[in-house]
Amino acid sequence: MATLLQFQFHSICENSLRKVKRKPQFQRSANHGLFRVSAGESGIQKTTEALVVSRSPGVLDHVFLNLFRNKMVQVRILRSLFPPLLLKLYKILIAPLAQGKVAAVMVARVTAVSCEWLMGSCRVNTVDLGNGSSLPSGVFVERCKYLEESKCVGICVNTCKLPTQAFFMDHMGVPLVMEPNFNDYSCQFKFGVSPPEEDSSLKEPCLEVCPNAIRRRTTTTLENKCPKA
């Protein structure tokens, strides 16, 4: 009798356990994009793909980019990085010292130290002045991030080169000429040197890798000059 009761007890327990549904188990696949849900003995499997968000530039992106370029052309971004009083004092008190050489050397050192995040690796070097002498007032940018990412002569010239030269001359009293190299994306800053009347950078043709050049090659236009230059 005891054996019969024990057998019935085990049978009831086994039937009860069969009715209990196991909790779903989550496993991540090797491609890290799929999650598989197993629902026990029911054999039901669900596969959910992780969402991949791809965003294409829209109208607002182009509007904001143009606004940024226009502000950069007006030198307002550079001016906002300095207290207005500091710029005026530098132009009045420091710029005239030693015919501008002290100010040029100081600006070169500060630029090399503080602007690597924007331009990339750079170092102070010696440049030739117009009077035949030399001065350690140059900054050589090995590979300008701004130029390398844009790959556009017009963007380099109009939103970086010309506004930066105008800023240092007009607001700090330090002449500057920037000589970008459109072949290796390097750039030579020459503080204390005024831009030449005939600047070859302003006559550079559009780069072959420039997105604008690629689009124009699909049209019938024969114009080779960068439309943004």
Side-chain angles (χ1 to χ4, degrees):
M1 183 61 130
T3 303
L4 179 60
L5 291 175
Q6 186 177 3
F7 176 78
Q8 292 178 348
F9 176 77
H10 284 295
S11 298
I12 294 173
C13 291
E14 290 177 359
N15 291 333
S16 300
L17 290 175
R18 289 193 184 97
K19 295 180 180 180
V20 177
K21 294 182 178 180
R22 291 181 298 176
K23 293 182 179 181
Q25 298 178 351
F26 295 86
Q27 298 178 348
R28 190 164 185 174
S29 62
N31 60 6
H32 303 286
L34 301 177
F35 293 87
R36 187 174 300 279
V37 182
S38 59
E41 296 179 356
S42 62
I44 300 176
Q45 295 180 342
K46 298 180 180 180
T47 303
T48 305
E49 294 186 0
L51 295 178
V52 179
V53 180
S54 59
R55 182 176 180 276
S56 301
V59 177
L60 290 179
D61 295 277
H62 296 293
V63 171
F64 289 137
L65 182 58
N66 288 331
L67 288 176
F68 173 81
R69 291 173 181 171
N70 291 334
K71 295 298 182 181
M72 187 65 184
V73 170
Q74 298 170 12
V75 202
R76 293 180 181 177
I77 291 180
L78 291 175
R79 288 173 56 187
S80 66
L81 299 177
F82 298 87
L85 183 59
L86 177 62
L87 294 177
K88 293 180 180 179
L89 291 177
Y90 194 91
K91 186 175 182 179
I92 295 174
L93 301 178
I94 306 299
L97 297 178
Q99 299 178 343
K101 295 182 179 180
V102 174
V105 172
M106 290 178 60
V107 170
R109 295 183 181 276
V110 172
T111 300
V113 172
S114 61
C115 293
E116 281 197 347
W117 65 272
L118 175 63
M119 302 182 298
S121 179
C122 55
R123 67 179 186 272
V124 175
N125 61 357
T126 301
V127 297
D128 296 327
L129 304 180
N131 57 7
S133 62
S134 60
L135 193 68
S137 60
V139 175
F140 180 72
V141 182
E142 296 180 0
R143 195 173 182 88
C144 179
K145 294 180 181 179
Y146 196 75
L147 175 56
E148 184 177 13
E149 292 180 3
S150 67
K151 295 180 174 62
C152 180
V153 172
I155 291 178
C156 171
V157 171
N158 290 316
T159 68
C160 183
K161 172 182 165 65
L162 295 180
T164 303
Q165 292 178 172
F167 166 77
F168 281 102
M169 185 62 202
D170 298 341
H171 299 283
M172 301 188 73
V174 180
L176 168 65
V177 59
M178 296 169 59
E179 299 175 349
N181 188 320
F182 298 107
N183 294 321
D184 60 6
Y185 302 138
S186 65
C187 187
Q188 176 67 59
F189 285 61
K190 295 182 177 180
F191 292 100
V193 179
S194 300
E197 295 182 1
E198 295 291 333
D199 195 335
S200 59
S201 299
L202 305 181
K203 300 179 180 180
E204 281 286 333
C206 196
L207 301 179
E208 291 294 327
V209 293
C210 177
N212 292 315
I214 295 175
R215 285 194 297 268
R216 287 203 312 279
R217 282 199 293 268
T218 62
T219 64
T220 58
T221 180
L222 299 178
E223 181 66 31
N224 192 34
K225 184 179 178 181
C226 178
K228 297 183 182 298

